[in-house]
Each structure stands twice: as structure tokens, then as C-alpha cells.
Amino acid sequence: MRIDEIELRIIDLPFVSPFKTSFGSQDTKTSIIVTVRSEGVEGYGESTMDPLPTYREETIDGALVVMRGRMVPWLLANDIDHPAQLLDAWGATRGNPMAKACVELAVWDCYARQQGVPLRTLLGGERTEIPVGASLGMGTIESTVDSVERHIAQGYKRIKLKIEPGWDVELLEAVRGRFPDIELTVDANSAYTLDDVELLRSFDRFGLHYIEQPLDYDDLTDHAVLAGQIETPLCLDESLTSVARVKAALDLGACSVVNVKVCRVGGLEAVRRIHALCTDRDVPMWCGGMLETGIGRAHNIHLATMPGFVYPGDTASASRTYARDIVEQRLEASNGMMPVPTGAGIGVTLDRPFLDSVTLSSEVHRR
Ligand code: OSB
Ligand code: MG
């Protein structure tokens, strides 16, 4: 496979409504859309780093520096047999999993399109639809209970509530009081510390499926301590930034559920290795989301077809987040099941006039 051209395009797409978490409130998605062109076929990838280091430490400007200096020139100078080679080929570039992943994703999509197969087929995914849940940003108790009711009525298979100190027990009492039997989880995005063990233990009575990333964004050891002191299973998100970090988390007992975000862990080959590790140890996985546009969302849907993704993921209907998407296909769940886009690669095509209208800048690098 010979890559002829790579386009790096920055877009900014407005949300239907702001999304509030313990680390801040967002009202648009700024991302890098990567297009690779190889022998007349295009493939697309989407980044998930923010403009500033709010969720993880990578930033859009920093990623552009790394892409222009490393992955882009490497791809324009080297032919490859398979996109699975890239993870190790780029190993000398340290860290920066999101910067690597969005380029790698574009190559995987292009490769699958050249082979004429859906991306999921290359990943061993046989399902043609996947169960999905909904992640609800912070609001008021009343608006959140209403939102849970609406999402359950729409068939979502699991509800995840964003929490932080002061926005937790009262909320959970209200939601659990109304919906005693739904599959319910919480995501703290690192808002607690080990000083909060008593409080976190008090969540045991709500029968949560798991608690996502209660402690520091880069921590493993405190989570391992916490796991020994509460009944509710722990799931890590922010802390899992590579295959090695996932292995360390499982070895330490820092989590018993794994949230996989392809960009956070460094790409699809990293996902395949994490999948092998987790299925080998019977650790349940699910596919996280970062409010992606149709490109990143389609990638997530394909990877969530892999057999180890046994819990409902965050890849909900695009229309919850965007009035209009940059892809022509509508990525919508029905009764909590998200159909996998059909066709080669990730199975979506760009709405080019709309994409151009939300583009802040773009640059093309050629062989
Ligand atoms: O922690 O999972 C998270 C969104 C942005 C950043 C981090 C997270 C999230 C979500 C939303 O929870 C998931 C989605 O709907 O894509
Ligand atoms: Mg999370």
C-alpha cells in the first residue's frame, strides 16, 4: 500500500446543546479529520484530543506538530503491507496515542476500502448491529430524570450519568428511585480522590453496573486500593492510554471493566491487542465515545462489533449531539441497537459542501 496524499483538516461542529462533565462544558467539537489517498481510494480518520488538555494531555496544535513531523512524512516515504504494522513502526515516537491513532484509522479505512470489505471484517467483527447506551451530561435533577426517561423509552440499553462531588448521591437517589431496574453507570472523569472512599462506598446501594474513572486521570494504584474497598466494579477510561497500561491496570486490579477508546489507546492495532488481552482474562470491554462526528462514530461502531465488546457502548445516535453531521449516512440507533454502516471501509461518505462549511483550516501533504 502506497499513500500518495494526506490531508489534515480542522473542523468545528456545533453541538445541539452543551455537554457538561466534571472537567468542563463543551458546546462544539473541534477535531482533526485525516484523509489519506492511495491509488485513487480515500480513507478517513478523526481525532479526539481537545484544543486544550482537558480530558487527556494531548492538544490539537500539539498533535499537528507530531503528525507533520513524524507520521505524515513516514507514510509518504514508506510503503506498507497492512495497517497493523503502524503501531510498532511509530513506536519511536513516544506517547501521543491520539495523534497516531487518527492517522492510523484513516489508513485502516483506506485499506478496507481497497480490499472491498467492511472495516469490521478486518477486525473479526461479525455483528451487523451493536447495543448502545447513552451518556448524559450534567444538568438539573429534574432535567436528568426526564432525560433518563426519554432515553429508556427510546430503547437505550444503559444509562451513564456524569457525576462529581455534590452532584452524585441526590442525583442517584432520584434516578434509582424512578428507575430501579435499568442498567445504570456513573462517570466521574477523575473528580474524586481516595479521601472520598466512604462516599464512593455509599454508591454500592445503587446497584451500579460500574463506576467509571472516579480517581485521577493518570492513576492506576489508587484505583487498585479503591477497588478493594467497595463492592461496585471499577471501569477505567482516562488512565488506559496504551496496551501496556491496560495490562498494568488488570495486573494491579485497578479495574475489572475496560472502556476502550481507539484514539486514547493509540489506534486499532492497539485495540486488537487489548481485545486479545481482555478476552483471554474474561474482562468485559465496551466502546467509549468522545462525541465524535460521523467519521469517528463509524469507526467506533465497527470496532464495537468485536466479540469482546460485551457491554453497551457510548456510540449513541449522532442526532443526540449534532443537528447535521459531516457524513451523508445517518448514524442512528433504533431500540438501543446501532446498525453497522454497510459497504467497504467504515461505510460512510462525506457531505463535502457541509464539511467545507465547518472547516477552519486544511493542508495537504504529498509524496
Ligand atoms: O468520559 O466518556 C467520557 C465525552 C467527552 C469526553 C469524555 C467522555 C465523554 C462521554 C460522551 O461520556 C460519550 C459520547 O456520547 O460520545
Ligand atoms: Mg469516561
Side-chain angles (χ1 to χ4, degrees):
M1 186 181 193
R2 174 200 161 103
I3 308 291
D4 305 305
E5 263 182 33
I6 303 174
E7 180 187 290
L8 307 178
R9 181 190 286 255
I10 314 297
I11 63 159
D12 190 57
L13 195 59
F15 291 161
V16 171
S17 54
F19 189 73
K20 186 169 180 295
T21 68
S22 65
F23 64 80
S25 182
Q26 282 179 281
D27 49 20
T28 68
K29 178 78 180 174
T30 313
S31 41
I32 310 174
I33 301 296
V34 179
T35 302
V36 301
R37 301 192 175 97
S38 166
E39 291 149 38
V41 178
E42 286 191 349
Y44 313 109
E46 176 178 347
S47 70
T48 60
M49 72 292 286
D50 293 308
L52 289 168
T54 43
Y55 162 82
R56 280 293 318 175
E57 78 285 25
E58 290 182 79
T59 61
I60 292 196
D61 287 344
L64 287 170
V65 169
V66 178
M67 291 155 105
R68 289 181 192 128
R70 291 289 185 133
M71 288 77 89
V72 168
W74 191 96
L75 276 177
L76 294 176
N78 292 278
D79 290 352
I80 59 167
D81 296 321
H82 195 282
Q85 292 167 243
L86 298 174
L87 179 66
D88 293 329
W90 296 342
T93 297
R94 299 199 173 161
N96 291 279
M98 294 176 174
K100 290 173 183 168
C102 55
V103 183
E104 192 232 32
L105 286 172
V107 179
W108 275 95
D109 179 33
C110 185
Y111 180 81
R113 289 178 198 256
Q114 287 178 338
Q115 305 290 310
V117 297
L119 179 60
R120 69 175 170 81
T121 302
L122 298 181
L123 303 173
E126 287 176 1
R127 291 181 281 175
T128 57
E129 55 178 10
I130 52 158
V132 289
S135 172
L136 309 187
M138 296 170 175
T140 62
I141 303 260
E142 206 188 3
S143 70
T144 306
V145 170
D146 286 351
S147 181
V148 174
E149 179 155 44
R150 252 192 336 273
H151 285 93
I152 293 296
Q154 287 168 24
Y156 281 101
K157 308 277 185 207
R158 172 276 267 149
I159 299 294
K160 157 168 146 184
L161 304 174
K162 292 291 192 178
I163 58 163
E164 67 185 359
W167 176 252
D168 44 23
V169 175
E170 210 187 320
L171 173 73
L172 282 165
E173 279 169 350
V175 172
R176 247 321 172 220
R178 259 307 271 293
F179 309 97
D181 301 320
I182 61 170
E183 188 169 312
L184 185 65
T185 72
V186 292
D187 185 0
N189 291 108
S190 305
Y192 298 84
T193 72
L194 273 187
D195 292 340
D196 301 310
V197 170
E198 288 303 318
L199 175 63
L200 293 165
R201 186 186 297 123
S202 79
F203 296 178
D204 284 345
R205 72 181 193 275
F206 298 116
L208 302 174
H209 207 211
Y210 49 80
I211 302 176
E212 186 176 340
Q213 195 77 34
L215 309 179
D216 193 61
Y217 77 96
D218 218 21
D219 169 78
L220 296 178
T221 53
D222 282 359
H223 281 96
V225 171
L226 176 63
Q229 305 198 9
I230 65 176
E231 297 286 325
T232 311
L234 293 185
C235 171
L236 286 176
D237 173 357
E238 279 88 333
S239 292
L240 304 180
T241 51
S242 65
V243 183
R245 290 278 292 176
V246 175
K247 180 174 181 298
L250 298 179
D251 288 348
L252 281 167
C255 67
S256 54
V257 177
V258 168
N259 169 334
V260 173
K261 289 181 181 168
V262 57
C263 283
R264 193 196 64 230
V265 301
L268 274 179
E269 176 57 14
V271 169
R272 295 208 299 176
R273 294 182 195 178
I274 290 166
H275 184 270
L277 185 72
C278 290
T279 51
D280 193 45
R281 299 184 188 199
D282 280 326
V283 173
M285 310 164 71
W286 57 278
C287 181
M290 299 278 290
L291 304 164
E292 288 89 345
T293 76
I295 297 298
R297 196 172 299 268
H299 274 286
N300 288 342
I301 296 167
H302 278 269
L303 76 88
T305 65
M306 296 170 79
F309 287 79
V310 293
Y311 289 171
D314 270 346
T315 306
S317 294
S319 62
R320 292 180 65 245
T321 306
Y322 300 107
R324 184 169 172 184
D325 203 344
I326 61 167
V327 298
E328 293 175 306
Q329 294 72 15
R330 286 168 45 80
L331 303 178
E332 296 297 300
S334 161
N335 205 21
M337 298 301 289
M338 176 63 87
V340 183
T342 54
I346 54 174
V348 294
T349 46
L350 296 173
D351 177 345
R352 291 186 191 272
F354 183 62
L355 178 66
D356 286 342
S357 76
V358 296
T359 296
L360 302 179
S361 68
S362 85
E363 59 191 61
V364 178
H365 300 261
R366 295 189 177 83
R367 241 187 211 245

